[in-house]
Structures are given as C-alpha cells and as structure tokens.
Amino acid sequence: DIQMTQSPSSLSASVGDRVTITCRASQGISNYLAWYQQKPGKVPKLLIYAASTLQSGVPSRFSASGSGTDFTLTISSLQPEDVAAYFCQGYYTVPPTFGQGTKLEIK
Amino acid sequence: EVQLVESGGGLVKPGGSLRLSCATSGFTFSRYSVNWVRQPPGKGLEWVSSISRSGSDIYYTDSVKGRFTISRDDAKNSLYLQMNSLRAEDTAVYYCARDQGGSYPYFFDYWGQGTLVTVSS
C-alpha cells in the first residue's frame, strides 16, 4: 500500500496568516491526490482533486500543488471558519489511502 | 441536491453481524461508483470498500476481506455493506461516499452523514 504522511500533525495560526500543509506519498502517485476538510463534528468535504483542481464552491483562498511524491495545501489568508482537520488522500492504486490528518486551530 | 443517508449502525458484540444501508438521491446512482469509508472515534479516515457503477469491480481493504460484502441495488438507488465476524477494531463511523472514478476508487465528492458501529461486549 502507498503510505501518505502529512505534516505537521497540528498547527496553530492567526487569522489572516498563510498556512501550508504538506503531504508526502511513499512512492510516486503522479497527480492522483485529493484534499478534504473535516470541521469538528462534521462530514469530510472535498476541497481539491487531481492535486490542484479546486472543487466547485470551495473558496479561492484554498490552493494546492505538487506531483509525484510531494504535495502542499495552502490557505492564503486563514479565516475562523477554516478551523478543521485536513486530510490528503492518494488514489493512484487500490487501496486509496489517507494521510493521518492535520488539525488546524486559530491562535 | 445530492444526498446520501446511511442507516443500520448500532452496538454489536464481537463476532456479530450488521448490515449498513446508504440511500441516495439527487443524482443518477447507476452512473457512479460508491464506497464505504470509516473513521474510528477521534481518529483518521480509512477507505473500506468500493463497488463500480457496473457492480463488476469490487475492492476491499485487507482487514475486512472475507468478512465484509459490499453490494448495490440501482433500482433502489442504494448501497449496502454486510459486516460479519465483527471485531472491536471495526468500531467507527461508517460513511458512504460517491466516487468520481471508473472501475477503481478515486476521490469522493459527496459523503453521507455517517452511521456509528460499536463492537463491544
């Protein structure tokens, strides 16, 4: 199985800050990567697919990049409603695998 | 509006069985692959199983192979997960999720609200 490793595991930042979360695959997965946001007590929500394509309705402050083994999710200006756990997911092979998550809080 | 609504969770003893259902609406169910994804309380996400739109391609994570069976009924716009020989480590919220892939699981654009399965004596 391809392992997905996120860093950091938790992150505290101020409103307005630029925030970056990293995801690394244990082997190359081309651009077969998605990012999800899960707010406390809520259902996961798709933010990004194909490594950098923004899902419809997702605010433009979210962006992502990467290919191969290294990927990043960036929030350009952190908002209070962005408090959530963020998960990357590779889907290059079966089984699709998730990173362990990054918990984002407001400082 | 796309909706997925799970049901069938509950408390079951180790070794017991449960059948989860996922009723869908707001999209043409037969045109999509669908999945089960689980999340143990306070932990991360784990993909469990996938069934293609034709029903001919089915996949499971290793830990549930031989114990869980995924199926779909396009006439009822519904997805199912038969879970047998349940273990404590199967305790989780189980989500059904629509897939944008073809014959094998891709990424998941719509999720249900989840149903909690607790395996405990």
Side-chain angles (χ1 to χ4, degrees):
Chain A
D1 298 359
I2 297 175
Q3 307 302 317
M4 308 300 296
T5 304
Q6 288 182 234
S7 61
S9 296
S10 63
L11 175 60
S12 181
S14 300
V15 172
D17 281 355
R18 183 180 182 88
V19 171
T20 297
I21 298 169
T22 297
C23 178
R24 175 164 288 175
S26 60
Q27 62 188 75
I29 60 170
S30 185
N31 69 333
Y32 290 78
L33 187 99
W35 288 96
Y36 300 86
Q37 175 193 64
Q38 186 176 30
K39 296 183 178 181
K42 300 298 185 182
V43 174
K45 173 187 174 183
L46 177 67
L47 295 178
I48 302 281
Y49 61 92
S52 61
T53 302
L54 202 66
Q55 173 71 346
S56 176
V58 174
S60 58
R61 64 180 180 273
F62 290 92
S63 65
S65 64
S67 183
T69 59
D70 295 315
F71 303 87
T72 59
L73 173 70
T74 299
I75 307 173
S76 61
S77 177
L78 185 66
Q79 300 302 303
E81 60 266 33
D82 299 334
V83 169
Y86 292 84
F87 297 91
C88 63
Q89 179 229 328
Y91 51 98
Y92 187 72
T93 61
V94 181
T97 48
F98 292 89
Q100 81 280 12
T102 296
K103 187 175 181 181
L104 176 58
E105 298 176 333
I106 298 290
K107 203 180 282 185
Chain B
E1 180 191 6
V2 172
Q3 288 193 319
L4 301 96
V5 180
E6 302 92 338
S7 60
L11 175 63
V12 61
K13 289 181 168 55
S17 298
L18 276 179
R19 188 190 193 215
L20 305 184
S21 299
C22 174
T24 72
S25 60
F27 66 102
T28 305
F29 181 72
S30 61
R31 292 183 183 175
Y32 289 88
S33 298
V34 275
N35 297 258
W36 291 99
V37 178
R38 66 185 178 184
Q39 185 170 35
K43 296 191 177 181
L45 299 165
E46 180 187 27
W47 170 83
V48 175
S49 182
S50 170
I51 184 167
S52 63
R53 49 182 175 246
S54 68
S56 61
D57 298 292
I58 288 176
Y59 301 93
Y60 300 98
T61 191
D62 283 348
S63 64
V64 310
K65 282 179 183 174
R67 301 188 299 122
F68 290 11
T69 303
I70 192 172
S71 62
R72 64 188 294 157
D73 185 337
D74 289 353
K76 295 183 177 180
N77 296 321
S78 292
L79 174 70
Y80 306 99
L81 187 68
Q82 177 66 42
M83 304 187 297
N84 298 330
S85 303
L86 282 161
R87 306 167 180 167
E89 55 265 35
D90 296 319
T91 294
V93 174
Y94 284 73
Y95 298 101
C96 63
R98 192 179 83 167
D99 196 317
Q100 281 295 334
S103 60
Y104 74 93
Y106 257 42
F107 57 89
F108 317 123
D109 61 348
Y110 286 94
W111 299 60
Q113 87 288 349
T115 187
L116 176 63
V117 172
T118 303
V119 184
S120 175
S121 55

